[in-house]
Amino acid sequence: AGISIGMVSEGERYVLLTDIIGEEDFHGDMDFKVAGTTNGITGIQLDMKARGIVQSRVVESLEQARKARGVILDAMTAVIDTPREELSEFAPRMLTIKIDPDKIGKVIGPGGKMIKKIQEETEATIDIEDDGTIFIACKGPGGQAALEKIKGITEDAEIGKTYAGKIVSIRDFGAFVEILPGTEGLCHVSELSMDYVENVDDVCKVGDEMEVKVIGIDDQGKVKVSRKAVLDPNWNPPPPRARSGGRPRGGGGRGR
């Protein structure tokens, strides 16, 4: 709680005022704001119009502020004696996240499309600094939802991690699964099932949700995923076969 102590003085005569109003502040010589708890002071601000103030008046002001603060705290305790375990759903919140500055463009999107979409869906206000610091202001759960969306957009795929993805396209050699916003991984037809798969359409369709594990990321950032690795935790991807001349096979085996 906080209280403002004012002072009106003339020569050696003075009076200290508790909880001053605008007129007293305008005509007075001091505005001494003191905030704190029952245990002590947490912050002060002193505005003076007089040329100075003697120590005894500072001590007297602090004591007067302590007594007034106690009255306010007692009134507050009578209404609620312990802090709420959770913030009210109507309380404003400010969340912060730091991302790689090189990924700011992914969060903003072409013409601001992505950031506008996040703000519309979560009713949060998002501000991005050049150093990658993102401030999310909101009321209610929308801020956390916006934070999770930004994490998803800027997250990098990790080898060995399982993702709940969605099939976004199908080819004769496998299915492309969106494991993170804007990040797709190829699940080769040989990685779709523990059984032989002749047609990818027999296992999945566009729009289907599928759990997959990342089993490889090449130098160009292309991601390889496997459904087999999810179906059988003990399964391990086979080592790459060598081309003629002893060079390893690359490209994730997209051809059949």
PDB file of all heavy atoms in Angstrom, residues 156-183:
ATOM      1  N   ASP A 156      12.832 -25.262 -33.378  1.00  0.00           N
ATOM      2  CA  ASP A 156      13.529 -26.099 -34.348  1.00  0.00           C
ATOM      3  C   ASP A 156      13.219 -27.562 -34.063  1.00  0.00           C
ATOM      4  O   ASP A 156      13.128 -27.984 -32.905  1.00  0.00           O
ATOM      5  CB  ASP A 156      15.045 -25.881 -34.266  1.00  0.00           C
ATOM      6  CG  ASP A 156      15.443 -24.489 -34.739  1.00  0.00           C
ATOM      7  OD1 ASP A 156      14.834 -24.005 -35.705  1.00  0.00           O
ATOM      8  OD2 ASP A 156      16.357 -23.893 -34.131  1.00  0.00           O
ATOM      9  N   ALA A 157      13.071 -28.337 -35.126  1.00  0.00           N
ATOM     10  CA  ALA A 157      12.850 -29.770 -34.965  1.00  0.00           C
ATOM     11  C   ALA A 157      14.070 -30.410 -34.315  1.00  0.00           C
ATOM     12  O   ALA A 157      15.210 -30.028 -34.592  1.00  0.00           O
ATOM     13  CB  ALA A 157      12.571 -30.408 -36.318  1.00  0.00           C
ATOM     14  N   GLU A 158      13.829 -31.391 -33.439  1.00  0.00           N
ATOM     15  CA  GLU A 158      14.914 -32.067 -32.733  1.00  0.00           C
ATOM     16  C   GLU A 158      14.907 -33.549 -33.073  1.00  0.00           C
ATOM     17  O   GLU A 158      13.865 -34.208 -33.022  1.00  0.00           O
ATOM     18  CB  GLU A 158      14.757 -31.896 -31.221  1.00  0.00           C
ATOM     19  CG  GLU A 158      14.822 -30.465 -30.737  1.00  0.00           C
ATOM     20  CD  GLU A 158      14.647 -30.370 -29.235  1.00  0.00           C
ATOM     21  OE1 GLU A 158      14.999 -31.355 -28.535  1.00  0.00           O
ATOM     22  OE2 GLU A 158      14.142 -29.344 -28.752  1.00  0.00           O
ATOM     23  N   ILE A 159      16.075 -34.067 -33.404  1.00  0.00           N
ATOM     24  CA  ILE A 159      16.196 -35.497 -33.683  1.00  0.00           C
ATOM     25  C   ILE A 159      15.887 -36.281 -32.410  1.00  0.00           C
ATOM     26  O   ILE A 159      16.380 -35.963 -31.329  1.00  0.00           O
ATOM     27  CB  ILE A 159      17.608 -35.831 -34.198  1.00  0.00           C
ATOM     28  CG1 ILE A 159      17.842 -35.170 -35.560  1.00  0.00           C
ATOM     29  CG2 ILE A 159      17.807 -37.341 -34.310  1.00  0.00           C
ATOM     30  CD1 ILE A 159      19.234 -35.388 -36.118  1.00  0.00           C
ATOM     31  N   GLY A 160      15.044 -37.295 -32.557  1.00  0.00           N
ATOM     32  CA  GLY A 160      14.669 -38.130 -31.423  1.00  0.00           C
ATOM     33  C   GLY A 160      13.418 -37.677 -30.706  1.00  0.00           C
ATOM     34  O   GLY A 160      12.920 -38.376 -29.824  1.00  0.00           O
ATOM     35  N   LYS A 161      12.882 -36.523 -31.081  1.00  0.00           N
ATOM     36  CA  LYS A 161      11.687 -36.004 -30.424  1.00  0.00           C
ATOM     37  C   LYS A 161      10.442 -36.405 -31.203  1.00  0.00           C
ATOM     38  O   LYS A 161      10.437 -36.429 -32.433  1.00  0.00           O
ATOM     39  CB  LYS A 161      11.759 -34.483 -30.314  1.00  0.00           C
ATOM     40  CG  LYS A 161      10.631 -33.866 -29.495  1.00  0.00           C
ATOM     41  CD  LYS A 161      10.860 -32.381 -29.266  1.00  0.00           C
ATOM     42  CE  LYS A 161       9.756 -31.766 -28.430  1.00  0.00           C
ATOM     43  NZ  LYS A 161       9.985 -30.321 -28.179  1.00  0.00           N
ATOM     44  N   THR A 162       9.380 -36.729 -30.469  1.00  0.00           N
ATOM     45  CA  THR A 162       8.111 -37.123 -31.082  1.00  0.00           C
ATOM     46  C   THR A 162       7.181 -35.922 -31.181  1.00  0.00           C
ATOM     47  O   THR A 162       7.072 -35.138 -30.239  1.00  0.00           O
ATOM     48  CB  THR A 162       7.442 -38.238 -30.261  1.00  0.00           C
ATOM     49  OG1 THR A 162       8.310 -39.381 -30.229  1.00  0.00           O
ATOM     50  CG2 THR A 162       6.108 -38.642 -30.874  1.00  0.00           C
ATOM     51  N   TYR A 163       6.508 -35.788 -32.319  1.00  0.00           N
ATOM     52  CA  TYR A 163       5.606 -34.666 -32.564  1.00  0.00           C
ATOM     53  C   TYR A 163       4.239 -35.179 -32.999  1.00  0.00           C
ATOM     54  O   TYR A 163       4.135 -36.194 -33.695  1.00  0.00           O
ATOM     55  CB  TYR A 163       6.158 -33.751 -33.663  1.00  0.00           C
ATOM     56  CG  TYR A 163       7.456 -33.069 -33.319  1.00  0.00           C
ATOM     57  CD1 TYR A 163       8.678 -33.691 -33.574  1.00  0.00           C
ATOM     58  CD2 TYR A 163       7.474 -31.807 -32.737  1.00  0.00           C
ATOM     59  CE1 TYR A 163       9.876 -33.077 -33.256  1.00  0.00           C
ATOM     60  CE2 TYR A 163       8.671 -31.180 -32.418  1.00  0.00           C
ATOM     61  CZ  TYR A 163       9.868 -31.815 -32.677  1.00  0.00           C
ATOM     62  OH  TYR A 163      11.054 -31.204 -32.360  1.00  0.00           O
ATOM     63  N   ALA A 164       3.203 -34.487 -32.575  1.00  0.00           N
ATOM     64  CA  ALA A 164       1.851 -34.747 -33.068  1.00  0.00           C
ATOM     65  C   ALA A 164       1.655 -33.853 -34.285  1.00  0.00           C
ATOM     66  O   ALA A 164       1.418 -32.654 -34.158  1.00  0.00           O
ATOM     67  CB  ALA A 164       0.819 -34.439 -31.993  1.00  0.00           C
ATOM     68  N   GLY A 165       1.787 -34.436 -35.472  1.00  0.00           N
ATOM     69  CA  GLY A 165       1.741 -33.657 -36.698  1.00  0.00           C
ATOM     70  C   GLY A 165       0.470 -33.878 -37.494  1.00  0.00           C
ATOM     71  O   GLY A 165      -0.426 -34.613 -37.082  1.00  0.00           O
ATOM     72  N   LYS A 166       0.417 -33.198 -38.631  1.00  0.00           N
ATOM     73  CA  LYS A 166      -0.736 -33.317 -39.528  1.00  0.00           C
ATOM     74  C   LYS A 166      -0.225 -33.540 -40.947  1.00  0.00           C
ATOM     75  O   LYS A 166       0.708 -32.872 -41.396  1.00  0.00           O
ATOM     76  CB  LYS A 166      -1.593 -32.057 -39.462  1.00  0.00           C
ATOM     77  CG  LYS A 166      -2.824 -32.099 -40.368  1.00  0.00           C
ATOM     78  CD  LYS A 166      -3.669 -30.846 -40.226  1.00  0.00           C
ATOM     79  CE  LYS A 166      -4.387 -30.826 -38.896  1.00  0.00           C
ATOM     80  NZ  LYS A 166      -5.366 -29.700 -38.810  1.00  0.00           N
ATOM     81  N   ILE A 167      -0.857 -34.476 -41.644  1.00  0.00           N
ATOM     82  CA  ILE A 167      -0.477 -34.766 -43.023  1.00  0.00           C
ATOM     83  C   ILE A 167      -0.886 -33.585 -43.903  1.00  0.00           C
ATOM     84  O   ILE A 167      -2.058 -33.203 -43.940  1.00  0.00           O
ATOM     85  CB  ILE A 167      -1.157 -36.045 -43.542  1.00  0.00           C
ATOM     86  CG1 ILE A 167      -0.915 -37.220 -42.591  1.00  0.00           C
ATOM     87  CG2 ILE A 167      -0.668 -36.376 -44.950  1.00  0.00           C
ATOM     88  CD1 ILE A 167       0.512 -37.615 -42.446  1.00  0.00           C
ATOM     89  N   VAL A 168       0.091 -33.007 -44.613  1.00  0.00           N
ATOM     90  CA  VAL A 168      -0.205 -31.850 -45.460  1.00  0.00           C
ATOM     91  C   VAL A 168      -0.137 -32.184 -46.947  1.00  0.00           C
ATOM     92  O   VAL A 168      -0.717 -31.477 -47.769  1.00  0.00           O
ATOM     93  CB  VAL A 168       0.743 -30.674 -45.135  1.00  0.00           C
ATOM     94  CG1 VAL A 168       0.458 -30.130 -43.749  1.00  0.00           C
ATOM     95  CG2 VAL A 168       2.205 -31.087 -45.251  1.00  0.00           C
ATOM     96  N   SER A 169       0.572 -33.241 -47.300  1.00  0.00           N
ATOM     97  CA  SER A 169       0.593 -33.667 -48.702  1.00  0.00           C
ATOM     98  C   SER A 169       1.070 -35.111 -48.778  1.00  0.00           C
ATOM     99  O   SER A 169       1.771 -35.599 -47.881  1.00  0.00           O
ATOM    100  CB  SER A 169       1.495 -32.767 -49.554  1.00  0.00           C
ATOM    101  OG  SER A 169       2.844 -32.876 -49.158  1.00  0.00           O
ATOM    102  N   ILE A 170       0.666 -35.774 -49.856  1.00  0.00           N
ATOM    103  CA  ILE A 170       1.008 -37.186 -50.050  1.00  0.00           C
ATOM    104  C   ILE A 170       1.638 -37.363 -51.428  1.00  0.00           C
ATOM    105  O   ILE A 170       1.177 -36.796 -52.421  1.00  0.00           O
ATOM    106  CB  ILE A 170      -0.250 -38.075 -49.912  1.00  0.00           C
ATOM    107  CG1 ILE A 170      -0.695 -38.121 -48.441  1.00  0.00           C
ATOM    108  CG2 ILE A 170       0.014 -39.481 -50.433  1.00  0.00           C
ATOM    109  CD1 ILE A 170      -1.958 -38.918 -48.214  1.00  0.00           C
ATOM    110  N   ARG A 171       2.715 -38.129 -51.472  1.00  0.00           N
ATOM    111  CA  ARG A 171       3.368 -38.498 -52.722  1.00  0.00           C
ATOM    112  C   ARG A 171       3.451 -40.017 -52.784  1.00  0.00           C
ATOM    113  O   ARG A 171       3.197 -40.703 -51.795  1.00  0.00           O
ATOM    114  CB  ARG A 171       4.775 -37.882 -52.800  1.00  0.00           C
ATOM    115  CG  ARG A 171       4.800 -36.366 -52.712  1.00  0.00           C
ATOM    116  CD  ARG A 171       4.227 -35.735 -53.976  1.00  0.00           C
ATOM    117  NE  ARG A 171       4.390 -34.281 -53.950  1.00  0.00           N
ATOM    118  CZ  ARG A 171       3.509 -33.438 -53.440  1.00  0.00           C
ATOM    119  NH1 ARG A 171       2.399 -33.921 -52.877  1.00  0.00           N
ATOM    120  NH2 ARG A 171       3.716 -32.144 -53.461  1.00  0.00           N
ATOM    121  N   ASP A 172       3.851 -40.540 -53.942  1.00  0.00           N
ATOM    122  CA  ASP A 172       3.937 -41.993 -54.040  1.00  0.00           C
ATOM    123  C   ASP A 172       5.056 -42.558 -53.177  1.00  0.00           C
ATOM    124  O   ASP A 172       5.050 -43.734 -52.819  1.00  0.00           O
ATOM    125  CB  ASP A 172       4.136 -42.419 -55.499  1.00  0.00           C
ATOM    126  CG  ASP A 172       5.409 -41.847 -56.107  1.00  0.00           C
ATOM    127  OD1 ASP A 172       6.014 -40.951 -55.485  1.00  0.00           O
ATOM    128  OD2 ASP A 172       5.793 -42.301 -57.205  1.00  0.00           O
ATOM    129  N   PHE A 173       6.025 -41.715 -52.792  1.00  0.00           N
ATOM    130  CA  PHE A 173       7.152 -42.192 -51.997  1.00  0.00           C
ATOM    131  C   PHE A 173       6.980 -41.934 -50.501  1.00  0.00           C
ATOM    132  O   PHE A 173       7.834 -42.286 -49.698  1.00  0.00           O
ATOM    133  CB  PHE A 173       8.457 -41.534 -52.469  1.00  0.00           C
ATOM    134  CG  PHE A 173       8.377 -40.026 -52.583  1.00  0.00           C
ATOM    135  CD1 PHE A 173       8.481 -39.216 -51.473  1.00  0.00           C
ATOM    136  CD2 PHE A 173       8.188 -39.438 -53.826  1.00  0.00           C
ATOM    137  CE1 PHE A 173       8.412 -37.839 -51.578  1.00  0.00           C
ATOM    138  CE2 PHE A 173       8.119 -38.056 -53.949  1.00  0.00           C
ATOM    139  CZ  PHE A 173       8.227 -37.251 -52.820  1.00  0.00           C
ATOM    140  N   GLY A 174       5.889 -41.273 -50.099  1.00  0.00           N
ATOM    141  CA  GLY A 174       5.688 -41.021 -48.679  1.00  0.00           C
ATOM    142  C   GLY A 174       4.736 -39.869 -48.424  1.00  0.00           C
ATOM    143  O   GLY A 174       4.064 -39.374 -49.336  1.00  0.00           O
ATOM    144  N   ALA A 175       4.682 -39.439 -47.176  1.00  0.00           N
ATOM    145  CA  ALA A 175       3.783 -38.359 -46.773  1.00  0.00           C
ATOM    146  C   ALA A 175       4.582 -37.263 -46.087  1.00  0.00           C
ATOM    147  O   ALA A 175       5.527 -37.532 -45.341  1.00  0.00           O
ATOM    148  CB  ALA A 175       2.710 -38.887 -45.823  1.00  0.00           C
ATOM    149  N   PHE A 176       4.185 -36.012 -46.352  1.00  0.00           N
ATOM    150  CA  PHE A 176       4.802 -34.878 -45.672  1.00  0.00           C
ATOM    151  C   PHE A 176       3.930 -34.496 -44.482  1.00  0.00           C
ATOM    152  O   PHE A 176       2.726 -34.275 -44.624  1.00  0.00           O
ATOM    153  CB  PHE A 176       4.974 -33.701 -46.627  1.00  0.00           C
ATOM    154  CG  PHE A 176       6.091 -33.900 -47.614  1.00  0.00           C
ATOM    155  CD1 PHE A 176       5.842 -34.429 -48.875  1.00  0.00           C
ATOM    156  CD2 PHE A 176       7.394 -33.578 -47.265  1.00  0.00           C
ATOM    157  CE1 PHE A 176       6.867 -34.622 -49.783  1.00  0.00           C
ATOM    158  CE2 PHE A 176       8.432 -33.768 -48.168  1.00  0.00           C
ATOM    159  CZ  PHE A 176       8.172 -34.296 -49.427  1.00  0.00           C
ATOM    160  N   VAL A 177       4.570 -34.434 -43.319  1.00  0.00           N
ATOM    161  CA  VAL A 177       3.868 -34.182 -42.064  1.00  0.00           C
ATOM    162  C   VAL A 177       4.337 -32.849 -41.489  1.00  0.00           C
ATOM    163  O   VAL A 177       5.543 -32.632 -41.319  1.00  0.00           O
ATOM    164  CB  VAL A 177       4.146 -35.304 -41.042  1.00  0.00           C
ATOM    165  CG1 VAL A 177       3.283 -35.110 -39.798  1.00  0.00           C
ATOM    166  CG2 VAL A 177       3.910 -36.670 -41.657  1.00  0.00           C
ATOM    167  N   GLU A 178       3.383 -31.955 -41.217  1.00  0.00           N
ATOM    168  CA  GLU A 178       3.732 -30.689 -40.565  1.00  0.00           C
ATOM    169  C   GLU A 178       3.851 -30.958 -39.072  1.00  0.00           C
ATOM    170  O   GLU A 178       2.860 -31.201 -38.387  1.00  0.00           O
ATOM    171  CB  GLU A 178       2.685 -29.613 -40.830  1.00  0.00           C
ATOM    172  CG  GLU A 178       3.099 -28.248 -40.263  1.00  0.00           C
ATOM    173  CD  GLU A 178       2.089 -27.157 -40.543  1.00  0.00           C
ATOM    174  OE1 GLU A 178       0.901 -27.364 -40.218  1.00  0.00           O
ATOM    175  OE2 GLU A 178       2.479 -26.104 -41.080  1.00  0.00           O
ATOM    176  N   ILE A 179       5.080 -30.912 -38.568  1.00  0.00           N
ATOM    177  CA  ILE A 179       5.314 -31.212 -37.154  1.00  0.00           C
ATOM    178  C   ILE A 179       5.372 -29.948 -36.301  1.00  0.00           C
ATOM    179  O   ILE A 179       5.152 -29.998 -35.089  1.00  0.00           O
ATOM    180  CB  ILE A 179       6.610 -32.024 -36.975  1.00  0.00           C
ATOM    181  CG1 ILE A 179       7.812 -31.274 -37.553  1.00  0.00           C
ATOM    182  CG2 ILE A 179       6.468 -33.390 -37.629  1.00  0.00           C
ATOM    183  CD1 ILE A 179       9.145 -31.944 -37.287  1.00  0.00           C
ATOM    184  N   LEU A 180       5.679 -28.820 -36.944  1.00  0.00           N
ATOM    185  CA  LEU A 180       5.686 -27.509 -36.301  1.00  0.00           C
ATOM    186  C   LEU A 180       5.156 -26.512 -37.321  1.00  0.00           C
ATOM    187  O   LEU A 180       5.214 -26.783 -38.525  1.00  0.00           O
ATOM    188  CB  LEU A 180       7.106 -27.108 -35.877  1.00  0.00           C
ATOM    189  CG  LEU A 180       7.772 -27.934 -34.775  1.00  0.00           C
ATOM    190  CD1 LEU A 180       9.260 -27.605 -34.690  1.00  0.00           C
ATOM    191  CD2 LEU A 180       7.102 -27.690 -33.433  1.00  0.00           C
ATOM    192  N   PRO A 181       4.632 -25.373 -36.888  1.00  0.00           N
ATOM    193  CA  PRO A 181       4.160 -24.383 -37.858  1.00  0.00           C
ATOM    194  C   PRO A 181       5.262 -24.020 -38.855  1.00  0.00           C
ATOM    195  O   PRO A 181       6.319 -23.524 -38.478  1.00  0.00           O
ATOM    196  CB  PRO A 181       3.778 -23.186 -36.982  1.00  0.00           C
ATOM    197  CG  PRO A 181       3.435 -23.788 -35.662  1.00  0.00           C
ATOM    198  CD  PRO A 181       4.378 -24.942 -35.498  1.00  0.00           C
ATOM    199  N   GLY A 182       5.033 -24.329 -40.125  1.00  0.00           N
ATOM    200  CA  GLY A 182       6.009 -24.008 -41.161  1.00  0.00           C
ATOM    201  C   GLY A 182       7.124 -25.024 -41.315  1.00  0.00           C
ATOM    202  O   GLY A 182       8.012 -24.844 -42.143  1.00  0.00           O
ATOM    203  N   THR A 183       7.109 -26.099 -40.531  1.00  0.00           N
ATOM    204  CA  THR A 183       8.146 -27.131 -40.615  1.00  0.00           C
ATOM    205  C   THR A 183       7.515 -28.473 -40.950  1.00  0.00           C
ATOM    206  O   THR A 183       6.675 -28.970 -40.196  1.00  0.00           O
ATOM    207  CB  THR A 183       8.927 -27.252 -39.295  1.00  0.00           C
ATOM    208  OG1 THR A 183       9.540 -26.001 -38.983  1.00  0.00           O
ATOM    209  CG2 THR A 183      10.012 -28.321 -39.403  1.00  0.00           C
TER     210      THR A 183
END
